[in-house]
């Protein structure tokens, strides 16, 4: 199943398919424990996480978010909402898969890269095509979907190029 179809199905399953401001923290805290046996969201200190904003262990059904990222996502900061959604993407897409990274020309294709996949998942989850079609600018996307201007611009340009 393609990532776009998967995120649309998940949104629909939760009754959030018509909501442009996806409630990522509420989903991580309240919905996932009901959907995934043993799922845990840990909010960790900067000391514990270091430079990592988030870590996901799909085989353990565990997402760790650094406390400042968690707080930022709760406060609606777009970059932090994207980071939380990215980690959620790893959980949903990468069970039993090691976190592979692209090795250049001899490595795997970009769409086989787990980081690219998690970014794609976050973009599709937070900025579905239907929401973008109702927007008239990058600023509209950022405000409507609750993402950073940078994420909105990348997604806007990608969707407009395909139109």
């Amino acid at each position: 199943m393609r990532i776009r179809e998967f995120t649309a199905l998940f949104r629909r399953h939760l009754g959030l398919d018509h909501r442009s401001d996806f409630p990522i923290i509420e989903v991580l805290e309240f919905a996932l424990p009901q959907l995934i046996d043993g799922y845990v969201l840990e909010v960790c200190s900067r000391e514990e996480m270091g430079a990592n904003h988030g870590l996901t262990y799909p085989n353990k059904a565990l997402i760790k978010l650094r406390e400042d990222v968690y707080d930022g996502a709760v406060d609606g900061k777009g970059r932090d909402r994207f980071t939380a959604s990215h980690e959620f993407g790893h959980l949903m897409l990468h069970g039993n898969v090691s976190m592979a990274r692209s090795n250049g020309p001899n490595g795997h294709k970009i769409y086989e890269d787990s980081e690219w996949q998690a970014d794609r998942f976050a973009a599709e989850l937070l900025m579905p095509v239907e929401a973008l079609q109702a927007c008239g600018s990058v600023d509209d996307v950022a405000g409507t979907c609750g993402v950073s201007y940078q994420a909105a611009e990348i997604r806007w340009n990608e969707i407009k190029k395909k139109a």
Side-chain angles (χ1 to χ4, degrees), residues 83-113:
T83 298
S85 299
H86 173 98
E87 296 305 326
F88 177 37
H90 280 305
L91 181 70
M92 299 304 287
L93 300 172
H94 302 134
N96 299 317
V97 175
S98 63
M99 296 299 160
R101 296 189 189 270
S102 180
N103 298 346
N106 296 328
H108 54 273
K109 295 179 176 85
I110 187 68
Y111 60 82
E112 296 172 327
D113 182 87

Side-chain angles (χ1 to χ4, degrees), residues 11-145:
R11 282 173 144 269
R12 197 170 317 119
H13 177 75
L14 293 178
L16 298 170
D17 49 328
H18 296 294
R19 189 162 169 187
S20 57
D21 61 334
F22 188 82
I24 185 59
I25 293 298
E26 289 86 349
V27 168
L28 294 178
E29 287 187 329
F30 304 113
L32 289 189
Q34 296 177 32
L35 298 173
I36 301 172
D37 287 337
Y39 165 77
V40 175
L41 170 65
E42 286 185 18
V43 179
C44 304
S45 69
R46 281 181 178 259
E47 292 77 28
E48 182 180 346
M49 296 288 287
N52 294 308
H53 291 193
L55 294 169
T56 301
Y57 302 91
N59 295 333
K60 295 179 182 179
L62 171 64
I63 293 177
K64 291 184 174 190
L65 292 177
R66 203 170 68 188
E67 62 188 340
D68 59 314
V69 173
Y70 172 83
D71 291 342
V74 167
D75 291 340
K77 291 183 180 170
R79 185 181 188 287
D80 296 327
R81 285 174 34 79
F82 196 93
T83 298
S85 299
H86 173 98
E87 296 305 326
F88 177 37
H90 280 305
L91 181 70
M92 299 304 287
L93 300 172
H94 302 134
N96 299 317
V97 175
S98 63
M99 296 299 160
R101 296 189 189 270
S102 180
N103 298 346
N106 296 328
H108 54 273
K109 295 179 176 85
I110 187 68
Y111 60 82
E112 296 172 327
D113 182 87
S114 64
E115 292 301 310
W116 181 91
Q117 292 169 357
D119 279 348
R120 171 63 56 190
F121 181 93
E124 294 288 349
L125 187 70
L126 296 176
M127 299 173 279
V129 173
E130 299 78 22
L132 268 72
Q133 291 170 337
C135 294
S137 68
V138 173
D139 285 324
D140 284 349
V141 174
T144 299
C145 298

